[in-house]
Amino acid sequence: MTSNIGRTTTPTAVHRNVPARISIWSAALGVSLIVAAFATPMMWALYGSYYTFFMALFGVVAIPTGHVGRFRGKRLGGRDRGLALLGIVTGWLLLLCALLLVLAYIGLIAGLALLTDAVR
C-alpha cells in the first residue's frame, strides 16, 4: 500500500491564461460599444457619456490584464500570448477613442457657448 503523503499532484485541467482571456473579453466589450454607438445613433445621443465611460473602463481593464497575460503566457509556453497582445492594442485604441470623444464633447460645449454668446 502506498501513501499520498509527500507526493505532489498536478492538476488534470489544462493551464489557462485567464488574464489574457479577461483582456480580450474586455477589449471585445469595448469594441461592441463602438459598434452599438454607430448602430443606434439615438441611443448614442441620449447616453453618450455612459458609452464613453464604459469604453474607457474596458480599455483600462484590457491593458494591464493583457500585460499580465503576456507574462503568464511566457511561463505557459506561449499560450494565449497573441490574445493578450490583441487585448493590449485594442485597449489602447479604446482609450484613444474615449479621449477623442471627451475632446469632442468639450469642443461641442465650447462651440455652443460661443454661438449663444454671439446671439446676444
Side-chain angles (χ1 to χ4, degrees):
M1 178 179 245
T2 61
S3 68
N4 289 332
I5 299 173
R7 193 181 294 178
T8 59
T9 59
T10 58
T12 57
V14 175
H15 294 288
R16 296 192 182 197
N17 196 345
V18 175
R21 293 178 187 243
I22 291 172
S23 174
I24 197 66
W25 274 103
S26 179
L29 287 172
V31 170
S32 69
L33 282 174
I34 295 173
V35 170
F38 284 111
T40 58
M42 189 61 180
M43 294 299 285
W44 177 258
L46 293 174
Y47 304 111
S49 60
Y50 293 117
Y51 280 97
T52 307
F53 171 74
F54 284 114
M55 193 183 313
L57 179 70
F58 290 141
V60 167
V61 169
I63 293 167
T65 55
H67 283 290
V68 172
R70 293 272 297 168
F71 289 124
R72 184 163 181 186
K74 193 182 294 185
R75 285 184 299 189
L76 293 175
R79 185 167 182 91
D80 293 336
R81 287 191 78 198
L83 282 178
L85 181 63
L86 184 63
I88 293 169
V89 170
T90 309
W92 279 111
L93 289 175
L94 287 171
L95 282 180
L96 178 68
C97 287
L99 177 68
L100 290 175
L101 284 172
V102 167
L103 291 175
Y105 292 145
I106 292 171
L108 178 68
I109 291 170
L112 289 175
L114 285 174
L115 283 176
T116 57
D117 191 39
V119 171
R120 292 183 180 180

